[in-house]
Amino acid sequence: GPRPWHAVCAAAMDESPPMRTNGFERPFHPFQVTSWIVFGTDVLIYLICVFSLIDHGVKMVLAPFYIGTVVLLVAATAQATRSNAADPHVILQADSAMQIEEDDSMPFCGLCNVPVYPRSKHCRVCSKCVDIFDHHCMWINNCVGRANYKSFFVTISSVALMIGTVLGTCIFLIIAYFTDEEAFEQRLLDTPVLGELPKETFLGLLLTISALNVPLFV
C-alpha cells in the first residue's frame, strides 16, 4: 500500500515548479544567455581583429584547430543542454502517465512520487530526480548527470582549448609589440581591416581581450 509519508509530500509536490525536460526550455537562465553573447563576441573579435595579424604559415595550422574547437564547443553544449538527465523511472512515469510500482530495494522520491536509482538526486530547479546527479549548471540551464556528463566534459574541454588559443595568440602579439614595434606596425598596415588602427589602440584591445579571457580559462 502507499507509504504513510506520501500525503506529507503531496503539498510539496503541488508547490514544486513544473518539471523541466532540458536546458532549452524557457525561461532561459541569464547566465546561459550571457555565455552565448560572450563567446559569440569573443569568436568574432578574435577572427576579425586578432587572427588577421598572424603569419600566413601559422594561420594554416591554427585556423582549422580554432574553428574545430568552436564547432566542438557549440555541438557539445547543444547536446549537454538538450539532454534530459532525469532518472529513467521519472521519464517512464512522465511518458506513460502511470504509477510506477514501488521497489523496496530502491530509494523513493516523495517529490517525484517514484522509486529512483540510489545515486539519483532531486534537483529543485529542474523539479526532477537526476540519474547520477553531478550538479545543476546555470550556464547550460540544465542538470549534469549520466545522460550528459560526457558532452558536458567535452564542452568544458573545448572551452579550455578555445580560450587557450585566444590567450596564446594575444600573448604572442603583445610580445611582438614590445620586442619590435616597427614590425608590429607593419603587421597592422598589411591588414585591410586594421590598417588604419593605431598600434597603441590595438595593444589596448589585446590587453582587454586577454583580461576578459583569463577568468574564463582558469
Side-chain angles (χ1 to χ4, degrees), residues 102-124:
E102 292 186 26
D103 185 345
D104 290 335
S105 65
M106 298 171 62
F108 188 90
C109 177
L111 295 175
C112 292
N113 197 29
V114 68
V116 294
Y117 287 129
R119 294 183 63 186
S120 292
K121 181 180 177 181
H122 192 87
C123 174
R124 294 188 180 275

Side-chain angles (χ1 to χ4, degrees), residues 50 53 168-177 184 187 202 206:
V50 180
L53 292 181
T169 307
C170 288
I171 291 171
F172 168 77
L173 292 174
I174 291 171
I175 293 173
Y177 177 91
F184 184 86
R187 285 176 185 266
F202 190 78
L206 287 174

Side-chain angles (χ1 to χ4, degrees), residues 51-62 172-173 187:
F51 189 76
S52 56
L53 292 181
I54 303 172
D55 296 332
H56 180 72
V58 179
K59 282 182 183 178
M60 298 299 292
V61 177
L62 196 59
F172 168 77
L173 292 174
R187 285 176 185 266

Side-chain angles (χ1 to χ4, degrees), residues 84-88 90 112 116-117 119-123 126-136 142-148:
N84 185 357
D87 184 288
V90 176
C112 292
V116 294
Y117 287 129
R119 294 183 63 186
S120 292
K121 181 180 177 181
H122 192 87
C123 174
C126 293
S127 193
K128 64 185 179 185
C129 278
V130 175
D131 187 19
I132 310 185
F133 180 86
D134 187 276
H135 70 288
H136 182 87
N142 199 10
C143 283
V144 177
R146 183 198 294 270
N148 60 352

Side-chain angles (χ1 to χ4, degrees), residues 3-197:
R3 299 193 178 188
W5 40 270
H6 280 188
V8 178
C9 297
M13 292 173 61
D14 292 337
E15 295 175 2
S16 298
M19 184 175 71
R20 293 180 59 86
T21 304
N22 59 60
F24 284 124
E25 287 188 1
R26 296 184 182 181
F28 297 134
H29 194 283
F31 281 14
Q32 182 183 24
V33 177
T34 299
S35 70
W36 297 343
I37 296 173
V38 169
F39 282 102
T41 304
D42 205 46
V43 171
L44 287 176
I45 292 177
Y46 178 76
L47 291 177
I48 295 173
C49 299
V50 180
F51 189 76
S52 56
L53 292 181
I54 303 172
D55 296 332
H56 180 72
V58 179
K59 282 182 183 178
M60 298 299 292
V61 177
L62 196 59
F65 176 79
Y66 179 74
I67 293 173
T69 62
V70 174
V71 172
L72 188 62
L73 171 61
V74 173
T77 303
Q79 177 63 31
T81 304
R82 70 181 181 86
S83 294
N84 185 357
D87 184 288
H89 300 87
V90 176
I91 298 175
L92 181 62
Q93 178 164 281
D95 290 344
S96 64
M98 294 175 60
Q99 188 74 18
I100 303 297
E101 190 173 326
E102 292 186 26
D103 185 345
D104 290 335
S105 65
M106 298 171 62
F108 188 90
C109 177
L111 295 175
C112 292
N113 197 29
V114 68
V116 294
Y117 287 129
R119 294 183 63 186
S120 292
K121 181 180 177 181
H122 192 87
C123 174
R124 294 188 180 275
V125 178
C126 293
S127 193
K128 64 185 179 185
C129 278
V130 175
D131 187 19
I132 310 185
F133 180 86
D134 187 276
H135 70 288
H136 182 87
C137 179
M138 295 179 291
W139 298 103
I140 64 172
N141 197 25
N142 199 10
C143 283
V144 177
R146 183 198 294 270
N148 60 352
Y149 189 82
K150 290 181 179 179
S151 56
F152 182 77
F153 177 78
V154 173
T155 296
I156 300 300
S157 301
S158 56
V159 166
L161 291 173
M162 173 183 152
I163 300 298
T165 303
V166 172
L167 290 175
T169 307
C170 288
I171 291 171
F172 168 77
L173 292 174
I174 291 171
I175 293 173
Y177 177 91
F178 287 106
T179 55
D180 193 342
E181 287 191 32
E182 290 186 6
F184 184 86
E185 192 167 5
Q186 188 60 48
R187 285 176 185 266
L188 287 175
L189 294 174
D190 292 340
T191 307
V193 179
L194 307 171
E196 298 181 0
L197 187 69

